[in-house]
Amino acid sequence: MEELEKKAWKEALEYAFEQGDKNPWDKSQNYRDYAIEHAGKLYPNKIIYNYALDFLSTNYQTIYENENKNNPGVGKKMNTYLESKGANAITLNQAIDSNVNYWLYQPGENARLWNEFYEKSIIGLGWDDLGDLSLYQSKDDVVKELQAIYQTESSKKNDATANWDFFQNMQIGDIVLIKKGKRKLLGYGEILSDYIFDAEREEYTSIRKVKWIKKGEWDIDFDLVLKTLTIITDYNSDVLKGQKYYQYLLSIMNGNINRVNSKRINLIKYKKQIILQGPPGTGKTREAKLIAKEMLNLQDVKDLEGNDQFKLIQFHPSYTYEDFVRGIVSKPNEDGDGIIYEAENKLLADFAQKALDNYIESNKTNVVVHEDSSIFEAFIENIKDELAQNEHHKYDITEAVYLFSADETRFKYKGDNWVAHSKGLNMKFSELKKIIDSGATERQDIKKMTDVEELTRQHATYFIKIVEKYYTFKQTFKESIPLQHSTELKNYVLLIDEINRANLSSVLGELIYALEYRGEAVESMYAVDNDNKLVLPPNLYIIGTMNTADRSVGHIDYAIRRRFAFVDVLPQDLSNDENIIFDSQLFGQVALLFDSNLSPEFEKKDVQLGHSYFIDKTKEGGSMDIRLEYEIKPILFEYIKDGVLIGEDIEKLIEDLEQSI
């Protein structure tokens, strides 16, 4: 680049990093495999590029016009392009099938050498008595030397493997992840050199040079492998299906995933239903969605939308059993005038049935699928086509009776001379399927069936005519070869927001028993399709959220509490979250109010304002001054009215609150 272009891009990148710090980017824009590093922080390359172009368009018009003609691409291409302009481009996750390996490493006992290694851009290995590792011809030679040094006949396999890997198998370009003990990550970097023996060092004389990419402290809630140096390239993540272990660890450090406490995952798998409880603004619903995402093995919370294994509902004080489980509904009488009243499954019963169907199918082994269902569906579609093509929109059953309409669940049939049912009667596909599955071939066979509707038996003549047409259709239909079929067991997650706003005992009814005894049928007060039974299967999970500051709603009785596990979701300081701007000073000021001015009738953990109130949302129009004036102060004044916050000076303390950002 020419000097002017270099100067322009230097200033443009500085501007871009400033804007990146001032304007947190949306999670959907976050980096995955490629990023730009500046002052120890990572930025999405596309965002840096766009901010840089904004700067050039205002200050270096000619250079901007030239740059605007280029198409730097995305991902690796964008990284390469920005690197040519002076940016520090970082590759986070190499392709799984590449030659790059990933290592988990601890720099000394309890990571005592981490600061030194970071400052000197190296990693090192102990066992200094071995000397220069390049003098050994094989790992067996290392084993023998270790046995001699420590005067033992034990295999010394792990020690030998660590040394041989460090010398021979680790390669330039590999990524090394730093740990401290079993439950803390400290950073990661890229290996820059081959093995070096540095005799001048007092300890850890075996070293390699490293380009550090990330440094910090990240507590995790699962155990890391204990060995000093472990190659983890092929390890699979236990958290997210299809993800590698190293990818998950890198995602934790890069902050581009929403993690959920694995204890909560284990808890809901055991208990089947949990309630996340806490004061307003602690992110209970967000946490519930994260749990649901993990339970359904999804990549992102956004994937929950439209997913047939996930349902979300919010309770309110007037919510009833008939709204949630089963209830009587009025419907137009499709067989004539007036209305009829029928019981139907509501959200929970319908969702539970889907989960149960999957649970039953998944427990069948070596199921032979003859494609009868596909033939039946093809038969129905064939009749629909003939109906549509017929000039009079008729499909003859007998000389006097015909089909004249069809939808997703039934045909309609009638006779021209019918008076009693001039609008036609229903011939349900489900009834036809029952007849076919029974093997019926004559009208009398249908009349003897006990699991079909009365109308089906009364009009057996018409039903058997359609069934006969099915048998003829099946003979000409090209059948598929029978397949060995197995169904994968799926999890189903129901999220109930504000679960305590309804009277749970009344809403759940007999299902209080079913919550504890999964897979066992309970009798509902309403029968659907002549069946009163309801089952909550083991693969149905329920997550409730509960605002502990809300005393306007009824309490949850002991029978309910025994069947749910209650998990606290409490306020926390998010100052270390690089993806948001958090007013930690204001958070601390408000927290102090609940130490000095809280009524003894309340507990701080039940009413303190949650962290979400203190996240700057300037990009959405919610700067901290606006949030303080119109969100934080109003609820604090409500707390005064409700007797939560007390004291002669409490109103002045609230009025004097000031944002720091």
Side-chain angles (χ1 to χ4, degrees), residues 229-246:
L229 181 68
T230 309
I231 185 169
I232 59 172
T233 309
D234 296 328
Y235 287 23
N236 290 317
S237 168
D238 290 332
V239 177
L240 191 60
K241 189 176 181 180
Q243 187 182 50
K244 290 295 184 181
Y245 183 59
Y246 73 81

Side-chain angles (χ1 to χ4, degrees), residues 564-582:
F564 281 83
F566 286 76
V567 180
D568 287 332
V569 182
L570 304 177
Q572 53 184 312
D573 192 324
L574 301 180
S575 301
N576 294 327
D577 191 333
E578 297 179 353
N579 297 305
I580 62 171
I581 296 176
F582 187 76

Side-chain angles (χ1 to χ4, degrees), residues 271-273 315 321 324-325 348 499 502-525 534-536 542 555-564:
K271 196 69 176 176
K272 305 299 182 186
Q273 50 268 337
F315 277 2
Y321 177 94
F324 186 52
V325 185
L348 178 58
I499 193 170
N503 184 334
L504 273 185
S505 296
S506 174
V507 169
L508 292 174
E510 69 280 342
L511 290 182
I512 293 175
Y513 177 89
L515 288 172
E516 184 170 4
Y517 297 97
R518 294 302 187 94
E520 292 189 24
V522 295
E523 293 288 327
S524 170
M525 67 182 82
L534 274 174
V535 177
L536 298 186
I542 300 173
H555 73 285
I556 296 177
D557 64 36
Y558 291 119
I560 301 291
R561 285 189 172 275
R562 188 168 67 81
R563 287 162 172 84
F564 281 83

Side-chain angles (χ1 to χ4, degrees), residues 105-114 126-127 179-181 203-204 228:
Y105 161 79
Q106 178 164 284
E109 304 85 359
N110 203 34
R112 64 182 176 84
L113 297 172
W114 170 230
W127 294 282
K179 64 166 184 162
K180 179 180 180 180
E203 61 176 340
Y204 285 69
T228 300

Side-chain angles (χ1 to χ4, degrees), residues 378-390:
F379 169 67
I380 297 297
E381 291 302 317
N382 183 67
I383 293 182
K384 287 181 179 180
D385 288 343
E386 291 194 29
L387 265 175
Q389 294 170 14
N390 185 275

Side-chain angles (χ1 to χ4, degrees), residues 364-621:
K364 295 178 182 178
T365 56
N366 298 321
V367 178
V368 178
V369 181
H370 290 286
E371 304 294 334
D372 281 345
S373 296
S374 298
I375 299 171
F376 181 74
E377 291 168 6
F379 169 67
I380 297 297
E381 291 302 317
N382 183 67
I383 293 182
K384 287 181 179 180
D385 288 343
E386 291 194 29
L387 265 175
Q389 294 170 14
N390 185 275
E391 181 180 356
H392 303 290
H393 206 75
K394 293 181 177 180
Y395 183 92
D396 290 334
I397 300 176
T398 67
E399 290 183 1
V401 179
Y402 54 87
L403 305 178
F404 67 91
S405 175
D407 60 20
E408 295 303 311
T409 60
R410 69 199 168 176
F411 295 126
K412 297 279 286 185
Y413 67 100
K414 67 178 181 178
D416 286 331
N417 298 322
W418 286 9
V419 176
H421 302 291
S422 59
K423 293 184 179 181
L425 294 172
N426 295 325
M427 184 178 288
K428 295 180 182 178
F429 301 156
S430 58
E431 294 291 286
L432 290 170
K433 194 70 169 62
K434 288 178 183 177
I435 297 168
I436 292 167
D437 290 343
S438 75
T441 58
E442 297 179 356
R443 183 172 62 88
Q444 291 302 320
D445 295 334
I446 299 176
K447 287 186 171 293
K448 294 175 184 176
M449 294 178 66
T450 59
D451 61 341
V452 295
E453 297 175 356
E454 184 62 29
L455 174 65
T456 304
R457 288 193 291 270
Q458 290 176 357
H459 285 199
T461 299
Y462 306 133
F463 278 79
I464 198 65
K465 290 291 185 182
I466 296 298
V467 169
E468 288 171 355
K469 291 179 184 292
Y470 167 79
Y471 293 145
T472 302
F473 178 84
K474 183 178 179 181
Q475 291 175 356
T476 60
F477 186 79
K478 186 178 180 181
E479 292 191 61
S480 302
I481 298 172
L483 302 172
Q484 291 291 324
H485 171 73
S486 61
T487 299
E488 178 187 5
L489 178 64
K490 297 178 180 179
N491 291 334
Y492 290 76
V493 180
L494 173 62
L495 197 169
I496 306 174
D497 205 27
E498 304 284 2
I499 193 170
N500 59 320
R501 290 191 64 78
N503 184 334
L504 273 185
S505 296
S506 174
V507 169
L508 292 174
E510 69 280 342
L511 290 182
I512 293 175
Y513 177 89
L515 288 172
E516 184 170 4
Y517 297 97
R518 294 302 187 94
E520 292 189 24
V522 295
E523 293 288 327
S524 170
M525 67 182 82
Y526 301 108
V528 173
D529 293 332
N530 298 316
D531 188 359
N532 288 77
K533 291 183 174 59
L534 274 174
V535 177
L536 298 186
N539 59 331
L540 173 64
Y541 299 90
I542 300 173
I543 308 171
T545 69
M546 186 171 82
N547 182 355
T548 51
D550 191 350
R551 288 198 168 186
S552 65
V553 295
H555 73 285
I556 296 177
D557 64 36
Y558 291 119
I560 301 291
R561 285 189 172 275
R562 188 168 67 81
R563 287 162 172 84
F564 281 83
F566 286 76
V567 180
D568 287 332
V569 182
L570 304 177
Q572 53 184 312
D573 192 324
L574 301 180
S575 301
N576 294 327
D577 191 333
E578 297 179 353
N579 297 305
I580 62 171
I581 296 176
F582 187 76
D583 195 335
S584 59
Q585 185 173 324
L586 180 59
F587 174 80
Q589 291 175 18
V590 173
L592 283 175
L593 296 178
F594 293 90
D595 289 327
S596 59
N597 293 83
L598 182 65
S599 165
E601 295 183 15
F602 296 86
E603 290 189 48
K604 180 180 179 180
K605 72 181 184 67
D606 290 337
V607 292
Q608 179 188 345
L609 291 197
H611 39 269
S612 69
Y613 282 97
F614 305 92
I615 298 173
D616 182 79
K617 295 185 176 180
T618 300
K619 290 180 71 174
E620 294 85 26

